[in-house]
Amino acid sequence: MNVNEDWPRISVVTPSFNQGEFIERTIKSVLGQNYPKLEYFVIDGGSSDNTLQIIKQYENQITKWVSEPDDGQGAAIHKGFQWSSGDILCWLNSDDCLEPGALRFVGDFFANHPEIDWIIANDIVEIDGWSYPNIPNTEVSLNKLLAGQILYQDSVFFRKSIYSATQGINTELWGAIDYDLWLQFLLKGNQYKVVPNYTLSRFVMHPDQKSSDSSKYLKETDASRKARTPNRADFITSVQVKLGQKSAGAIRSIYQMDIPGTKNLLSALFPRAWYFHHSKLPKFKRVTQGKHDVACPLCHSLATGFHISTYDNRFNQPGLYEIAWCRNCDLGITRPQLSKEELTKLYEKFYSNAENLSATEPVSGMQLDDQHPEIESTPKQTNFHQINPVKTSRKSIFQIAKQFVRKRTSSRPVIPEEWQGKLLDFGCNDGEQLEIYKKLGQFSELCGFDINPVAVQRADAKGFDVFCGDLSNSQWPDHSFDVIVLSQVIEHLPDPISVLKTLHQKLKPDGHLLVTCPNAHSFWAKMFGIAWSHWHVPYHLFHYTPASISKLGAEAGFKVEGLTTRSPAYWLFLSQHLQRYYARDEYLDIPIYPQPSKWTGFQAAFLQLFSMATVDRLKRGEMISVELTPTSTD
């Protein structure tokens, strides 16, 4: 997002008292916004821990700060707002964080919507390192607020003009400071906008926070309701509040019964449901190295949506990553993204040497957040299995004979028979795919490209014309290929548009580009949740949908000739496999690329047939396959 001269000045206030464990992350999340018109105030209540030392490290970047005894959180926020000269106000508690790009989104929104007085967005809940999007408020009203609706304070931003027109922060309240202010805004009839798909902040849960005492908070909200709206009937409001509390308790109880399949269903219907199971989640550390403020490669804006947090469950590496979401392009983005050198180290360990892996010890040198203790676990001694997904899925159920079904069961790209000539397998690894193309007999020449030198050596030993390095400097001239295939590669590329533009040059004007990748909008990704095997962080840098992969092709000078989805049985089995281990609370003892048994293979094949008949046709299958042709010549 480019800097807009019309962006308003934003004033952020952080109240603090003895939050040395968290406040540095809070301060860095605000200063790291790089918002050009920012005022930042830190109001400390006279902390006795290491809070002051941390504040002093950043005092040159903080507009103003103070540390002195005060009358509590409300008094600190009130003082900060009195100091502020910004057009837009908000407060961020000293254990919460702003998400990358949040203030730029807020500034841009208010600049383009002068009629809106305050906005209400969604936030992320973090507990023990794991994160998930909170239940979005899709509608907000005075009646809903009186009935107990909770707005996520850390993601509410408002104009100073409407704040000045109210009684402001009630400094006598202990916790329901936010609720009382929202009530004043709604009673004044201020114009607001709910943006539920945008996650602008992070609510970090820990045992010592105020919100852990929900009974005291609820008593204050009740008192505020009665004080602000004394003439409203209390009976209906109290019944609505109690029903809301009962329904949340019912979901929690069902979830904790551990009925097979219940967790997946509840997680799909109620995104917050798996939080009720949080006590059984391992206390993994967040990965801190790498680039966190990753921009969308298509629109170049920072993602303001959040999808899920997960870890490398393919190779049992415990560091937690997050998948943010670009709402403009419908694209998932892994955060943080490791450097090329860091990823190369992982690829050489797990991809080039997979057949020799006997254990999955953590990779040395990974930087993890020390805020959360790491789980103690001894990885299971596991051997890598090379398996043919077509063969496995066929053996598991009726001997499916038809060629159509055989193609649909495979995770390999399906190349039309009329495509012939010279083929380039981009991301050929050790040449296994090239050997399959050779058996097809429809191509006069087979070439391969990969950035992994170990894999390229193996492909070269098999007699294929392969290249490792910068493709633009390869031995192949422009417009030399009839067919180029990217099979499960595009999601690994840090700059996919540049790569596709280079391939556009190498492809003949009447050539074909075939791209396959996991479908982040598949029905199965939603049902399996964190157990979906194709999040595959940190290797998958971006997570494509039919919309985003089509947009990517258009940006690189291609047009879509055809787009389908399918659900390979082995892919479904992998997610089922992870789900079974999660159900037993085993997160680091998962065998690498296991072989399905007859029963588990049958289950996966059954799901595949269901998918073929239903969700695949709706472009909600596991894997996207898109055929692209050049729209112009170079």
Side-chain angles (χ1 to χ4, degrees), residues 124-144:
I124 299 165
V125 177
E126 179 183 308
I127 181 166
D128 292 333
W130 293 84
S131 304
Y132 61 94
N134 217 332
I135 301 173
N137 287 305
T138 55
E139 295 182 7
V140 174
S141 67
L142 179 60
N143 286 337
K144 285 179 177 289

Side-chain angles (χ1 to χ4, degrees), residues 190-347:
N190 300 126
Q191 295 299 309
Y192 61 88
K193 177 69 174 179
V194 183
V195 284
N197 291 328
Y198 294 89
T199 49
L200 303 183
S201 61
R202 180 178 300 261
F203 178 71
V204 182
M205 298 188 69
H206 57 90
D208 298 328
Q209 64 189 159
K210 277 188 174 183
S211 55
S212 60
D213 190 352
S214 59
S215 60
K216 190 172 182 179
Y217 181 89
L218 291 174
K219 286 180 181 179
E220 286 196 344
T221 60
D222 186 55
S224 180
R225 277 194 297 268
K226 292 177 179 179
R228 300 289 182 189
T229 57
N231 298 323
R232 295 183 71 93
D234 285 333
F235 174 74
I236 294 177
T237 298
S238 63
V239 169
Q240 288 176 313
V241 171
K242 289 180 180 179
L243 284 175
Q245 294 171 347
K246 291 290 186 182
S247 61
I251 295 172
R252 182 185 290 107
S253 299
I254 296 172
Y255 196 84
Q256 292 176 340
M257 291 172 67
D258 284 339
I259 301 173
T262 301
K263 294 174 187 175
N264 282 345
L265 180 60
L266 287 177
S267 295
L269 297 176
F270 308 100
R272 199 179 177 184
W274 71 266
Y275 157 67
F276 301 132
H277 188 58
H278 78 269
S279 60
K280 295 184 179 181
L281 288 172
K283 296 181 179 181
F284 286 165
K285 297 178 182 179
R286 294 179 300 108
V287 175
T288 57
Q289 69 196 94
K291 185 176 177 61
H292 289 257
D293 53 343
V294 183
C296 170
L298 301 177
C299 67
H300 308 294
S301 64
L302 293 176
T304 50
F306 184 84
H307 194 68
I308 202 169
S309 68
T310 186
Y311 68 106
D312 182 5
N313 50 26
R314 188 78 60 88
F315 299 119
N316 295 331
Q317 298 298 299
L320 280 174
Y321 297 82
E322 297 175 347
I323 296 170
W325 210 265
C326 177
R327 302 296 182 190
N328 299 328
C329 305
D330 201 20
L331 177 72
I333 302 171
T334 295
R335 307 189 304 207
Q337 289 190 2
L338 303 184
S339 67
K340 180 180 178 180
E341 293 73 22
E342 291 164 336
L343 280 173
T344 298
K345 180 179 179 182
L346 294 177
Y347 277 113

Side-chain angles (χ1 to χ4, degrees), residues 13-24:
V13 175
T14 291
S16 172
F17 183 69
N18 286 336
Q19 292 281 9
E21 182 181 358
F22 304 98
I23 191 170
E24 183 172 22

Side-chain angles (χ1 to χ4, degrees), residues 80-97:
F81 285 167
Q82 284 185 319
W83 288 353
S84 69
S85 63
D87 306 295
I88 308 299
L89 304 180
C90 74
W91 77 89
L92 184 71
N93 292 327
S94 53
D95 49 4
D96 298 334
C97 302

